[in-house]
Amino acid sequence: MKNLLFSVLLLLSLILSPALWSQKYPNPVLTIEGGQVKGVMTSTKGVIAYKGIPFAAPPVGKLRWREPQPVVPWKGVKVADKYGAAAMQVTWDPQSFYGKEWRASGSVPFNEDCLYLNIWTSAAGDKNKKLPVAMWIHGGGYREGFAFEPEMDGGEDWASRGVILVSVTYRLGVIGFFSHPLLSAESPHGVSGNYGLMDQAAALKWIYNNIEQFGGDPKNITIFGQSAGAGSVQSLCASPISKNLVSRAISMSGGGLSNGRSGISLDTAQLANKKMMDFFGKTTLDAMRSLSFDELIRMSQKYADTTKTRIGWSPVIDNYFLKKTFSDAAIAKEIPDIPYMFGYTANDLGDMTKPIADFSALRATQSNKPVYAYLFQRQLPGDSSGAFHSSDLWFIFHSLRHSWRPFTAGDEDLSKTMVDYWTNFSKFGNPNGKNGDAWQPYTIQHPEFMTLDANGDRAELIMTATPRYKGSAFRR
């Protein structure tokens, strides 16, 4: 009888223990690559945030301009309550348009030790929960920005909808995309540059390996980004190194299919940088690695002024991480066969209607997986800049509270609707959710975009085959 009673009690404990355990330990210590970590409770019930988790070794000293290396282990329990540093970059002019808009420039430390990610989850420690995961890649022309700008403060909103949000920081500019023949010679793959993209791929791999500890499903990872972040999403989908880890992809203001874009070759990029370094007598890796970020920026400016040759740093076609441009890879059916969402804003930096329509139409001929196209056309209140490049960030993260703009009830409704759309897409590959049909995928028979707007107190959502680009906010 005692044995039977003991067996029943043991069975009940096994059945009930996860729930009881989560109540007793609402903020559990997790074991991940590098050691143990504990998050911080947020103001949203049940959501825990983990800030500043390293996903690779600090890329400093001899590791500058090298592929990201494994995490350096730590002792004890790391309390993840503080964001890591932003990547090295030139501080925005506080009087510039975006300096005023984001109110963030100069407010955070910049450091080459910047390979950290941030996680918001409602299922910490529950390996069986299998929540969908969304990895956010910030924009900024591959030269500026960081993962926790005020307009990107949406982790609690996403996690409360059952999607784990992960935001990542990556190397930028001359630190993140510098090519040189000497760097290629020391690389095990014979390449240089693309370090920022490799950082993103390393973060994606880290998520795949560790996200179960946070209640996530490593086989359901959405990557999404805006501007250079959108270009990064496309590169991760084109790269043989990362594409197999992607379950869904969202590209915001990154264009689409561009048949005329060949990309910068590794040879072109590294020879241009070599000429600059030779100009200043920097002919060894030790000499180049000893230069500070500020010295590198001053040198590039002096070189441009003297030789009338401007050096830029961005992704390159290196035949290792990137063998083709995203467009060429898409045409060759070498991108993941997954659902996609592509869109832009009505006053974006350029008219992206045709590139996005072309990509959507191409996918419709290649796959039965959907592409959802959109145009964000809400003319933001407060000035005449309209639906400018990046204006949709306030909405997809429901971060309107951080803005100086006099947003309306209609903006609030539009923002909540967009967070629903984006998180539904992360869950199901369909922005409508399991049963809705308001947003139809782009097809050859119905080549339509969803237009996202607000009217009075309500969001205004209309499908149209004739989305209207209204001209750049900065050229009117």
Side-chain angles (χ1 to χ4, degrees), residues 195-267:
Y195 303 110
L197 293 180
M198 292 180 189
D199 293 341
Q200 296 165 14
L204 182 59
K205 186 64 179 294
W206 186 98
I207 293 169
Y208 183 85
N209 290 338
N210 295 274
I211 205 62
E212 281 186 331
Q213 290 285 334
F214 301 85
D217 183 356
K219 295 182 180 180
N220 187 2
I221 302 174
T222 297
I223 58 173
F224 72 124
Q226 184 266 345
S227 193
S232 297
V233 165
Q234 294 177 17
S235 292
L236 292 178
C237 287
S239 172
I241 306 302
S242 52
K243 65 181 182 180
N244 291 332
L245 299 176
V246 181
S247 301
R248 326 188 198 286
I250 303 174
S251 174
M252 305 167 55
S253 296
L257 197 66
S258 304
N259 294 327
R261 187 184 300 170
S262 59
I264 301 172
S265 72
L266 174 61
D267 286 344

Side-chain angles (χ1 to χ4, degrees), residues 232-436:
S232 297
V233 165
Q234 294 177 17
S235 292
L236 292 178
C237 287
S239 172
I241 306 302
S242 52
K243 65 181 182 180
N244 291 332
L245 299 176
V246 181
S247 301
R248 326 188 198 286
I250 303 174
S251 174
M252 305 167 55
S253 296
L257 197 66
S258 304
N259 294 327
R261 187 184 300 170
S262 59
I264 301 172
S265 72
L266 174 61
D267 286 344
T268 298
Q270 64 182 0
L271 289 178
N273 285 306
K274 182 179 185 302
K275 286 181 180 179
M276 183 185 76
M277 286 297 178
D278 289 350
F279 181 85
F280 293 101
K282 305 298 180 182
T283 57
T284 68
L285 288 180
D286 285 343
M288 288 185 277
R289 285 192 169 116
S290 69
L291 295 166
S292 70
F293 173 79
D294 289 340
E295 288 174 322
L296 288 165
I297 295 301
R298 286 195 295 269
M299 287 167 56
S300 66
Q301 185 59 57
K302 183 176 180 180
Y303 182 75
D305 293 343
T306 304
T307 66
K308 308 305 178 186
T309 303
R310 184 165 295 279
I311 302 294
W313 300 288
S314 60
V316 298
I317 308 301
D318 60 6
N319 205 35
Y320 164 65
F321 191 86
L322 287 178
K323 296 186 176 182
K324 293 183 173 74
T325 64
F326 173 77
S327 294
D328 288 343
I331 292 169
K333 298 180 67 174
E334 294 176 2
I335 61 173
D337 188 20
I338 59 175
Y340 291 90
M341 181 193 294
F342 273 55
Y344 70 112
T345 66
N347 300 105
D348 222 316
L349 299 179
D351 187 353
M352 302 182 193
T353 309
K354 187 177 188 304
I356 292 174
D358 287 348
F359 172 74
S360 302
L362 174 68
R363 288 296 300 163
T365 66
Q366 293 178 333
S367 171
N368 60 4
K369 301 292 177 60
V371 177
Y372 294 90
Y374 74 87
L375 172 67
F376 178 85
Q377 62 183 29
R378 168 61 172 154
Q379 302 293 291
L380 266 59
D383 60 18
S384 61
S385 56
F388 58 88
H389 182 71
S390 307
S391 59
D392 47 352
L393 295 180
W394 292 121
F395 291 78
I396 66 159
F397 290 112
H398 193 217
S399 55
L400 307 180
R401 63 193 179 282
H402 293 306
S403 176
W404 63 268
R405 295 179 178 276
F407 285 120
T408 67
D411 292 308
E412 180 72 11
D413 188 40
L414 177 59
S415 178
K416 289 180 177 178
T417 300
M418 290 178 65
V419 178
D420 286 340
Y421 278 154
W422 265 241
T423 54
N424 279 337
F425 184 81
S426 298
K427 294 174 185 177
F428 311 113
N430 181 341
N432 304 288
K434 285 185 176 180
N435 302 314

